[in-house]
Amino acid sequence: MCGIVGYIGKRSAQEVLLAGLERLEYRGYDSAGVAIHTETGLCVQKAKGRISVLQNVLGKSPLKGTIGIGHTRWATHGKPSDANAHPHTDNDCAISVVHNGIIENYMELKQQLIAQGATFSSETDTEVIAHLIASVYTGDLVAAVRNAVSHIRGAFALAVLAAQQPDQLVVVRMHSPLVIGIGHGEYVIASDIPAILPYTREVCVLEDGDVVVLSYDAMKLMDVQGSTIERAPLHIDWDVATAEKNGFEHFMLKEMHEQPNAYRETMRTRMHDGRIVLTELDAFVAVLPKIGRIHIVACGTAYHAGLIGQKLIERIAGIPVEVDVASEYRYREPIIDAHTWVIVVSQSGETADTLAALREAKRRGARVLAITNVVASSVAREADDVLLTMAGPEIAVASTKAYTTMVVVFQLLSLWLAQERKIVLRSECEDWWRALEQLPVHAQHVLQQAPKWHAIAQKISLHDHVFFIGRGLDYAVAQEGSLKLKEISYIHSEAYAAGELKHGTLALISEGVPVIALATQADVCEKMLSNIIEVQARGAYVIGIGAPQLRGIVDEYIDIPQTIDAFSSALSVIPLQFVAYYAACIRGNDVDKPRNLAKSVTVE
Ligand code: M6R
């Protein structure tokens, strides 16, 4: 997730690009840069850090010109640094490129380009694109771009300039967002609509495979083969605040809707030819045979993802796992030896308790894997190995897409461990593989049902206490659902292992008390049904999620698409997120910034 912008028109390109980058800063802020055609040629200026750092540099030595491209980076390939900042160029600075997305075959392309004489100055996948375009460029930028993208696999939105063609800007979209604002005698391109709104409300939303050539007086839309495409622009009525949320009322709502795509991004480069490929763990493979147990350590929602990880790793890879809340872990004198692998999980990578637990684990000699959403975070820097969740920046305090992508990473990791330990049957592998591939589509299907859950939230919002029950993986999901509800709706809620209720908590169930029951696990489904009947007998109003057998028994039934039981959590949690969201809205709460909470908890 990065933000790209581009401009061609009569204004100062530098001003338009910097203003656009500010509006896209939510997409990443590891570094920023611009390339502008000036009187002295195509000039690039870039700097590590937030956009304000680049603004200072350009404030002192401005780049004067009316056509340019810009980028704000969310690091994936290569740490945040000046060298890894975009725009990237070929060796002669003939081509300048900004990119949002991931080039899957960049290593292969890089080797070919090096063999042809290219030298690389960054660790990014993007630099490959600049060299590739330059290698086929013969004075026609759009022809060179079309040729180059036919060799690229992956997701990309690109904006490209050629030093020899100072009156042309070429853009391409493939699986990463890109829009073009059509003004009077000017065009603004951007990853997202807010960057365009100060200049125009007429927008052309690009589709996969679109290539566009922009000059000072014309815009030409075509496909990768060069055939012209006609598409009427859209008129955008949103104000800027709404546009930043992509038309959604809250960041949380936007982020819940981003989950199918986030699942795709998390899996994209990690599933090849029937195998899970975690190149990030290449160095760890030699250590794996020594690992006898795993400790998973995290806080809050990330801890709940860890609970899912525990069950998946034990069930699929057969390694014993303990899960701890980070603030407890370091003080319980954990037994760590050379056979212990410690996995810390943190969206922000900055949570003080998790970081302290990581340091404690390392002090005691453990090898540490970080599962995080932020590549250059403290946790990522201090861990031995890192698996990124690829959710993109999460703004709402209540974690949604970061949690579900952590779950997807644990699904991938458990299969990878089983694969490396050679303990899975080929037939089982195929089922798991298919289930993983279908997850984004299934998640989309779940999201389409969301409006139906408003009525459930309406009923729940009238209560002071809500209970969540489940068994096994469903109990872990119940804990996350309960946290989501309490943190944004301020309704008191508790999650219980369904079988445990009768050992005390059942006393709290009385007429009309809402109980949300998850039943996605076939092996304990009958037992769950008994637990549901037990609470109904005490008057509970039961919302059931999962097994079709619940239909007709519970008061409200939420269906989720059929998948293998082990992977159902990435789907069953989505209705719980929505119930919490709607309940918070109905109660008039500040959904994105709930009281007393912060997105990143950097104190112990
Ligand atoms: O950034 P982290 O994942 O380390 O944050 C841990 C918790 O503070 C976090 O998951 C918190 O529980 C969520 N914001 C709740 O939605």
PDB file of all heavy atoms in Angstrom, residues 344-376:
ATOM      1  N   VAL A 344       5.892 -13.153  18.000  1.00  0.00           N
ATOM      2  CA  VAL A 344       5.183 -11.979  18.530  1.00  0.00           C
ATOM      3  C   VAL A 344       4.277 -11.448  17.422  1.00  0.00           C
ATOM      4  O   VAL A 344       4.646 -11.467  16.250  1.00  0.00           O
ATOM      5  CB  VAL A 344       6.134 -10.870  19.033  1.00  0.00           C
ATOM      6  CG1 VAL A 344       6.943 -11.346  20.218  1.00  0.00           C
ATOM      7  CG2 VAL A 344       7.051 -10.380  17.938  1.00  0.00           C
ATOM      8  N   VAL A 345       3.089 -11.011  17.820  1.00  0.00           N
ATOM      9  CA  VAL A 345       2.108 -10.553  16.837  1.00  0.00           C
ATOM     10  C   VAL A 345       1.701  -9.129  17.206  1.00  0.00           C
ATOM     11  O   VAL A 345       1.305  -8.873  18.341  1.00  0.00           O
ATOM     12  CB  VAL A 345       0.849 -11.465  16.837  1.00  0.00           C
ATOM     13  CG1 VAL A 345      -0.019 -11.161  15.620  1.00  0.00           C
ATOM     14  CG2 VAL A 345       1.219 -12.928  16.864  1.00  0.00           C
ATOM     15  N   SER A 346       1.826  -8.211  16.253  1.00  0.00           N
ATOM     16  CA  SER A 346       1.476  -6.824  16.552  1.00  0.00           C
ATOM     17  C   SER A 346       1.187  -6.069  15.260  1.00  0.00           C
ATOM     18  O   SER A 346       2.054  -5.989  14.388  1.00  0.00           O
ATOM     19  CB  SER A 346       2.635  -6.144  17.294  1.00  0.00           C
ATOM     20  OG  SER A 346       2.383  -4.767  17.426  1.00  0.00           O
ATOM     21  N   GLN A 347      -0.019  -5.526  15.139  1.00  0.00           N
ATOM     22  CA  GLN A 347      -0.358  -4.732  13.954  1.00  0.00           C
ATOM     23  C   GLN A 347       0.633  -3.594  13.793  1.00  0.00           C
ATOM     24  O   GLN A 347       1.262  -3.448  12.758  1.00  0.00           O
ATOM     25  CB  GLN A 347      -1.789  -4.182  14.109  1.00  0.00           C
ATOM     26  CG  GLN A 347      -2.342  -3.426  12.907  1.00  0.00           C
ATOM     27  CD  GLN A 347      -1.810  -2.022  12.709  1.00  0.00           C
ATOM     28  OE1 GLN A 347      -1.430  -1.657  11.590  1.00  0.00           O
ATOM     29  NE2 GLN A 347      -1.736  -1.231  13.753  1.00  0.00           N
ATOM     30  N   SER A 348       0.761  -2.778  14.832  1.00  0.00           N
ATOM     31  CA  SER A 348       1.597  -1.574  14.745  1.00  0.00           C
ATOM     32  C   SER A 348       3.077  -1.895  14.819  1.00  0.00           C
ATOM     33  O   SER A 348       3.911  -1.150  14.315  1.00  0.00           O
ATOM     34  CB  SER A 348       1.250  -0.632  15.893  1.00  0.00           C
ATOM     35  OG  SER A 348       1.538  -1.277  17.128  1.00  0.00           O
ATOM     36  N   GLY A 349       3.406  -2.991  15.503  1.00  0.00           N
ATOM     37  CA  GLY A 349       4.822  -3.297  15.734  1.00  0.00           C
ATOM     38  C   GLY A 349       5.461  -2.381  16.756  1.00  0.00           C
ATOM     39  O   GLY A 349       6.673  -2.368  16.938  1.00  0.00           O
ATOM     40  N   GLU A 350       4.634  -1.595  17.457  1.00  0.00           N
ATOM     41  CA  GLU A 350       5.174  -0.628  18.422  1.00  0.00           C
ATOM     42  C   GLU A 350       4.610  -0.828  19.825  1.00  0.00           C
ATOM     43  O   GLU A 350       4.931  -0.058  20.721  1.00  0.00           O
ATOM     44  CB  GLU A 350       4.867   0.817  17.970  1.00  0.00           C
ATOM     45  CG  GLU A 350       5.425   1.201  16.614  1.00  0.00           C
ATOM     46  CD  GLU A 350       6.954   1.173  16.538  1.00  0.00           C
ATOM     47  OE1 GLU A 350       7.603   1.127  17.601  1.00  0.00           O
ATOM     48  OE2 GLU A 350       7.475   1.173  15.416  1.00  0.00           O
ATOM     49  N   THR A 351       3.753  -1.804  20.019  1.00  0.00           N
ATOM     50  CA  THR A 351       3.125  -1.993  21.324  1.00  0.00           C
ATOM     51  C   THR A 351       4.197  -2.302  22.381  1.00  0.00           C
ATOM     52  O   THR A 351       4.964  -3.273  22.237  1.00  0.00           O
ATOM     53  CB  THR A 351       2.083  -3.124  21.238  1.00  0.00           C
ATOM     54  OG1 THR A 351       1.124  -2.729  20.274  1.00  0.00           O
ATOM     55  CG2 THR A 351       1.404  -3.379  22.569  1.00  0.00           C
ATOM     56  N   ALA A 352       4.232  -1.480  23.426  1.00  0.00           N
ATOM     57  CA  ALA A 352       5.332  -1.555  24.388  1.00  0.00           C
ATOM     58  C   ALA A 352       5.429  -2.937  25.038  1.00  0.00           C
ATOM     59  O   ALA A 352       6.529  -3.493  25.162  1.00  0.00           O
ATOM     60  CB  ALA A 352       5.153  -0.470  25.444  1.00  0.00           C
ATOM     61  N   ASP A 353       4.296  -3.506  25.458  1.00  0.00           N
ATOM     62  CA  ASP A 353       4.339  -4.813  26.132  1.00  0.00           C
ATOM     63  C   ASP A 353       4.861  -5.904  25.195  1.00  0.00           C
ATOM     64  O   ASP A 353       5.627  -6.780  25.611  1.00  0.00           O
ATOM     65  CB  ASP A 353       2.928  -5.194  26.616  1.00  0.00           C
ATOM     66  CG  ASP A 353       2.518  -4.366  27.830  1.00  0.00           C
ATOM     67  OD1 ASP A 353       3.382  -4.099  28.682  1.00  0.00           O
ATOM     68  OD2 ASP A 353       1.339  -3.975  27.900  1.00  0.00           O
ATOM     69  N   THR A 354       4.435  -5.836  23.939  1.00  0.00           N
ATOM     70  CA  THR A 354       4.858  -6.866  22.976  1.00  0.00           C
ATOM     71  C   THR A 354       6.349  -6.731  22.688  1.00  0.00           C
ATOM     72  O   THR A 354       7.079  -7.722  22.610  1.00  0.00           O
ATOM     73  CB  THR A 354       4.031  -6.728  21.675  1.00  0.00           C
ATOM     74  OG1 THR A 354       2.654  -6.688  22.028  1.00  0.00           O
ATOM     75  CG2 THR A 354       4.280  -7.885  20.731  1.00  0.00           C
ATOM     76  N   LEU A 355       6.787  -5.479  22.562  1.00  0.00           N
ATOM     77  CA  LEU A 355       8.205  -5.225  22.304  1.00  0.00           C
ATOM     78  C   LEU A 355       9.055  -5.701  23.486  1.00  0.00           C
ATOM     79  O   LEU A 355      10.106  -6.336  23.305  1.00  0.00           O
ATOM     80  CB  LEU A 355       8.397  -3.724  22.054  1.00  0.00           C
ATOM     81  CG  LEU A 355       9.729  -3.257  21.510  1.00  0.00           C
ATOM     82  CD1 LEU A 355      10.090  -3.968  20.211  1.00  0.00           C
ATOM     83  CD2 LEU A 355       9.685  -1.745  21.270  1.00  0.00           C
ATOM     84  N   ALA A 356       8.555  -5.439  24.695  1.00  0.00           N
ATOM     85  CA  ALA A 356       9.304  -5.867  25.887  1.00  0.00           C
ATOM     86  C   ALA A 356       9.360  -7.397  25.945  1.00  0.00           C
ATOM     87  O   ALA A 356      10.399  -7.979  26.287  1.00  0.00           O
ATOM     88  CB  ALA A 356       8.629  -5.308  27.136  1.00  0.00           C
ATOM     89  N   ALA A 357       8.260  -8.060  25.578  1.00  0.00           N
ATOM     90  CA  ALA A 357       8.235  -9.529  25.583  1.00  0.00           C
ATOM     91  C   ALA A 357       9.218 -10.071  24.547  1.00  0.00           C
ATOM     92  O   ALA A 357       9.929 -11.053  24.794  1.00  0.00           O
ATOM     93  CB  ALA A 357       6.818 -10.019  25.288  1.00  0.00           C
ATOM     94  N   LEU A 358       9.260  -9.406  23.394  1.00  0.00           N
ATOM     95  CA  LEU A 358      10.206  -9.827  22.338  1.00  0.00           C
ATOM     96  C   LEU A 358      11.642  -9.757  22.873  1.00  0.00           C
ATOM     97  O   LEU A 358      12.437 -10.681  22.728  1.00  0.00           O
ATOM     98  CB  LEU A 358      10.027  -8.897  21.128  1.00  0.00           C
ATOM     99  CG  LEU A 358      10.908  -9.081  19.887  1.00  0.00           C
ATOM    100  CD1 LEU A 358      10.197  -8.480  18.672  1.00  0.00           C
ATOM    101  CD2 LEU A 358      12.264  -8.454  19.995  1.00  0.00           C
ATOM    102  N   ARG A 359      11.933  -8.625  23.530  1.00  0.00           N
ATOM    103  CA  ARG A 359      13.309  -8.436  24.039  1.00  0.00           C
ATOM    104  C   ARG A 359      13.627  -9.494  25.105  1.00  0.00           C
ATOM    105  O   ARG A 359      14.732 -10.036  25.154  1.00  0.00           O
ATOM    106  CB  ARG A 359      13.466  -7.026  24.606  1.00  0.00           C
ATOM    107  CG  ARG A 359      13.497  -6.000  23.470  1.00  0.00           C
ATOM    108  CD  ARG A 359      13.559  -4.576  23.955  1.00  0.00           C
ATOM    109  NE  ARG A 359      13.594  -3.658  22.822  1.00  0.00           N
ATOM    110  CZ  ARG A 359      13.152  -2.404  22.862  1.00  0.00           C
ATOM    111  NH1 ARG A 359      12.658  -1.898  23.979  1.00  0.00           N
ATOM    112  NH2 ARG A 359      13.215  -1.642  21.794  1.00  0.00           N
ATOM    113  N   GLU A 360      12.634  -9.794  25.953  1.00  0.00           N
ATOM    114  CA  GLU A 360      12.835 -10.785  27.004  1.00  0.00           C
ATOM    115  C   GLU A 360      13.101 -12.160  26.375  1.00  0.00           C
ATOM    116  O   GLU A 360      13.997 -12.893  26.802  1.00  0.00           O
ATOM    117  CB  GLU A 360      11.594 -10.831  27.904  1.00  0.00           C
ATOM    118  CG  GLU A 360      11.641 -11.821  29.042  1.00  0.00           C
ATOM    119  CD  GLU A 360      12.743 -11.522  30.050  1.00  0.00           C
ATOM    120  OE1 GLU A 360      13.301 -10.407  30.025  1.00  0.00           O
ATOM    121  OE2 GLU A 360      13.062 -12.437  30.847  1.00  0.00           O
ATOM    122  N   ALA A 361      12.320 -12.485  25.342  1.00  0.00           N
ATOM    123  CA  ALA A 361      12.487 -13.780  24.668  1.00  0.00           C
ATOM    124  C   ALA A 361      13.875 -13.864  24.040  1.00  0.00           C
ATOM    125  O   ALA A 361      14.557 -14.889  24.148  1.00  0.00           O
ATOM    126  CB  ALA A 361      11.412 -13.959  23.606  1.00  0.00           C
ATOM    127  N   LYS A 362      14.322 -12.777  23.437  1.00  0.00           N
ATOM    128  CA  LYS A 362      15.653 -12.782  22.815  1.00  0.00           C
ATOM    129  C   LYS A 362      16.739 -12.887  23.885  1.00  0.00           C
ATOM    130  O   LYS A 362      17.720 -13.596  23.720  1.00  0.00           O
ATOM    131  CB  LYS A 362      15.850 -11.530  21.954  1.00  0.00           C
ATOM    132  CG  LYS A 362      15.004 -11.553  20.692  1.00  0.00           C
ATOM    133  CD  LYS A 362      15.520 -10.643  19.620  1.00  0.00           C
ATOM    134  CE  LYS A 362      16.686 -11.298  18.908  1.00  0.00           C
ATOM    135  NZ  LYS A 362      17.049 -10.605  17.677  1.00  0.00           N
ATOM    136  N   ARG A 363      16.508 -12.164  24.987  1.00  0.00           N
ATOM    137  CA  ARG A 363      17.499 -12.212  26.087  1.00  0.00           C
ATOM    138  C   ARG A 363      17.673 -13.643  26.589  1.00  0.00           C
ATOM    139  O   ARG A 363      18.747 -14.069  26.953  1.00  0.00           O
ATOM    140  CB  ARG A 363      17.023 -11.302  27.220  1.00  0.00           C
ATOM    141  CG  ARG A 363      18.092 -10.915  28.225  1.00  0.00           C
ATOM    142  CD  ARG A 363      17.535 -10.059  29.342  1.00  0.00           C
ATOM    143  NE  ARG A 363      16.543 -10.745  30.161  1.00  0.00           N
ATOM    144  CZ  ARG A 363      16.814 -11.631  31.104  1.00  0.00           C
ATOM    145  NH1 ARG A 363      18.067 -11.935  31.361  1.00  0.00           N
ATOM    146  NH2 ARG A 363      15.850 -12.221  31.795  1.00  0.00           N
ATOM    147  N   ARG A 364      16.553 -14.386  26.535  1.00  0.00           N
ATOM    148  CA  ARG A 364      16.620 -15.768  27.019  1.00  0.00           C
ATOM    149  C   ARG A 364      17.049 -16.743  25.913  1.00  0.00           C
ATOM    150  O   ARG A 364      16.966 -17.952  26.070  1.00  0.00           O
ATOM    151  CB  ARG A 364      15.262 -16.193  27.577  1.00  0.00           C
ATOM    152  CG  ARG A 364      14.929 -15.516  28.897  1.00  0.00           C
ATOM    153  CD  ARG A 364      13.507 -15.800  29.323  1.00  0.00           C
ATOM    154  NE  ARG A 364      13.186 -15.115  30.562  1.00  0.00           N
ATOM    155  CZ  ARG A 364      13.068 -15.713  31.748  1.00  0.00           C
ATOM    156  NH1 ARG A 364      13.238 -17.011  31.850  1.00  0.00           N
ATOM    157  NH2 ARG A 364      12.778 -15.016  32.817  1.00  0.00           N
ATOM    158  N   GLY A 365      17.414 -16.194  24.781  1.00  0.00           N
ATOM    159  CA  GLY A 365      18.025 -17.031  23.741  1.00  0.00           C
ATOM    160  C   GLY A 365      17.086 -17.544  22.665  1.00  0.00           C
ATOM    161  O   GLY A 365      17.471 -18.385  21.848  1.00  0.00           O
ATOM    162  N   ALA A 366      15.825 -17.073  22.636  1.00  0.00           N
ATOM    163  CA  ALA A 366      14.894 -17.596  21.626  1.00  0.00           C
ATOM    164  C   ALA A 366      15.108 -16.929  20.275  1.00  0.00           C
ATOM    165  O   ALA A 366      15.529 -15.776  20.198  1.00  0.00           O
ATOM    166  CB  ALA A 366      13.459 -17.349  22.082  1.00  0.00           C
ATOM    167  N   ARG A 367      14.782 -17.652  19.235  1.00  0.00           N
ATOM    168  CA  ARG A 367      14.668 -17.037  17.910  1.00  0.00           C
ATOM    169  C   ARG A 367      13.249 -16.484  17.823  1.00  0.00           C
ATOM    170  O   ARG A 367      12.288 -17.154  18.230  1.00  0.00           O
ATOM    171  CB  ARG A 367      14.899 -18.069  16.819  1.00  0.00           C
ATOM    172  CG  ARG A 367      14.960 -17.412  15.446  1.00  0.00           C
ATOM    173  CD  ARG A 367      15.406 -18.401  14.395  1.00  0.00           C
ATOM    174  NE  ARG A 367      15.429 -17.760  13.107  1.00  0.00           N
ATOM    175  CZ  ARG A 367      16.524 -17.534  12.402  1.00  0.00           C
ATOM    176  NH1 ARG A 367      17.699 -17.889  12.883  1.00  0.00           N
ATOM    177  NH2 ARG A 367      16.462 -16.962  11.212  1.00  0.00           N
ATOM    178  N   VAL A 368      13.110 -15.254  17.319  1.00  0.00           N
ATOM    179  CA  VAL A 368      11.803 -14.592  17.355  1.00  0.00           C
ATOM    180  C   VAL A 368      11.321 -14.255  15.949  1.00  0.00           C
ATOM    181  O   VAL A 368      12.055 -13.660  15.143  1.00  0.00           O
ATOM    182  CB  VAL A 368      11.864 -13.293  18.205  1.00  0.00           C
ATOM    183  CG1 VAL A 368      10.515 -12.582  18.198  1.00  0.00           C
ATOM    184  CG2 VAL A 368      12.278 -13.607  19.641  1.00  0.00           C
ATOM    185  N   LEU A 369      10.081 -14.650  15.699  1.00  0.00           N
ATOM    186  CA  LEU A 369       9.399 -14.259  14.459  1.00  0.00           C
ATOM    187  C   LEU A 369       8.401 -13.156  14.800  1.00  0.00           C
ATOM    188  O   LEU A 369       7.656 -13.279  15.775  1.00  0.00           O
ATOM    189  CB  LEU A 369       8.633 -15.454  13.873  1.00  0.00           C
ATOM    190  CG  LEU A 369       7.606 -15.111  12.769  1.00  0.00           C
ATOM    191  CD1 LEU A 369       8.297 -14.679  11.486  1.00  0.00           C
ATOM    192  CD2 LEU A 369       6.690 -16.304  12.482  1.00  0.00           C
ATOM    193  N   ALA A 370       8.367 -12.092  14.002  1.00  0.00           N
ATOM    194  CA  ALA A 370       7.341 -11.052  14.185  1.00  0.00           C
ATOM    195  C   ALA A 370       6.309 -11.181  13.079  1.00  0.00           C
ATOM    196  O   ALA A 370       6.668 -11.277  11.904  1.00  0.00           O
ATOM    197  CB  ALA A 370       7.976  -9.671  14.133  1.00  0.00           C
ATOM    198  N   ILE A 371       5.040 -11.173  13.473  1.00  0.00           N
ATOM    199  CA  ILE A 371       3.955 -11.049  12.493  1.00  0.00           C
ATOM    200  C   ILE A 371       3.402  -9.648  12.706  1.00  0.00           C
ATOM    201  O   ILE A 371       2.867  -9.340  13.773  1.00  0.00           O
ATOM    202  CB  ILE A 371       2.869 -12.126  12.719  1.00  0.00           C
ATOM    203  CG1 ILE A 371       3.476 -13.512  12.495  1.00  0.00           C
ATOM    204  CG2 ILE A 371       1.677 -11.894  11.784  1.00  0.00           C
ATOM    205  CD1 ILE A 371       2.514 -14.668  12.716  1.00  0.00           C
ATOM    206  N   THR A 372       3.601  -8.786  11.727  1.00  0.00           N
ATOM    207  CA  THR A 372       3.233  -7.387  11.909  1.00  0.00           C
ATOM    208  C   THR A 372       2.762  -6.786  10.594  1.00  0.00           C
ATOM    209  O   THR A 372       3.005  -7.334   9.522  1.00  0.00           O
ATOM    210  CB  THR A 372       4.426  -6.576  12.477  1.00  0.00           C
ATOM    211  OG1 THR A 372       4.041  -5.212  12.621  1.00  0.00           O
ATOM    212  CG2 THR A 372       5.649  -6.642  11.579  1.00  0.00           C
ATOM    213  N   ASN A 373       2.109  -5.633  10.717  1.00  0.00           N
ATOM    214  CA  ASN A 373       1.595  -4.936   9.533  1.00  0.00           C
ATOM    215  C   ASN A 373       2.527  -3.815   9.088  1.00  0.00           C
ATOM    216  O   ASN A 373       2.309  -3.212   8.058  1.00  0.00           O
ATOM    217  CB  ASN A 373       0.208  -4.365   9.878  1.00  0.00           C
ATOM    218  CG  ASN A 373      -0.588  -4.011   8.652  1.00  0.00           C
ATOM    219  OD1 ASN A 373      -0.424  -4.620   7.600  1.00  0.00           O
ATOM    220  ND2 ASN A 373      -1.452  -3.023   8.768  1.00  0.00           N
ATOM    221  N   VAL A 374       3.530  -3.524   9.921  1.00  0.00           N
ATOM    222  CA  VAL A 374       4.358  -2.340   9.635  1.00  0.00           C
ATOM    223  C   VAL A 374       5.825  -2.758   9.505  1.00  0.00           C
ATOM    224  O   VAL A 374       6.478  -3.116  10.484  1.00  0.00           O
ATOM    225  CB  VAL A 374       4.178  -1.267  10.738  1.00  0.00           C
ATOM    226  CG1 VAL A 374       5.004  -0.024  10.410  1.00  0.00           C
ATOM    227  CG2 VAL A 374       2.706  -0.902  10.875  1.00  0.00           C
ATOM    228  N   VAL A 375       6.314  -2.651   8.277  1.00  0.00           N
ATOM    229  CA  VAL A 375       7.614  -3.245   7.942  1.00  0.00           C
ATOM    230  C   VAL A 375       8.777  -2.658   8.733  1.00  0.00           C
ATOM    231  O   VAL A 375       9.689  -3.374   9.117  1.00  0.00           O
ATOM    232  CB  VAL A 375       7.872  -3.132   6.417  1.00  0.00           C
ATOM    233  CG1 VAL A 375       8.081  -1.716   5.980  1.00  0.00           C
ATOM    234  CG2 VAL A 375       9.050  -3.964   5.990  1.00  0.00           C
ATOM    235  N   ALA A 376       8.729  -1.358   8.976  1.00  0.00           N
ATOM    236  CA  ALA A 376       9.891  -0.752   9.634  1.00  0.00           C
ATOM    237  C   ALA A 376       9.642  -0.515  11.118  1.00  0.00           C
ATOM    238  O   ALA A 376      10.331   0.256  11.755  1.00  0.00           O
ATOM    239  CB  ALA A 376      10.228   0.560   8.957  1.00  0.00           C
TER     240      ALA A 376
END
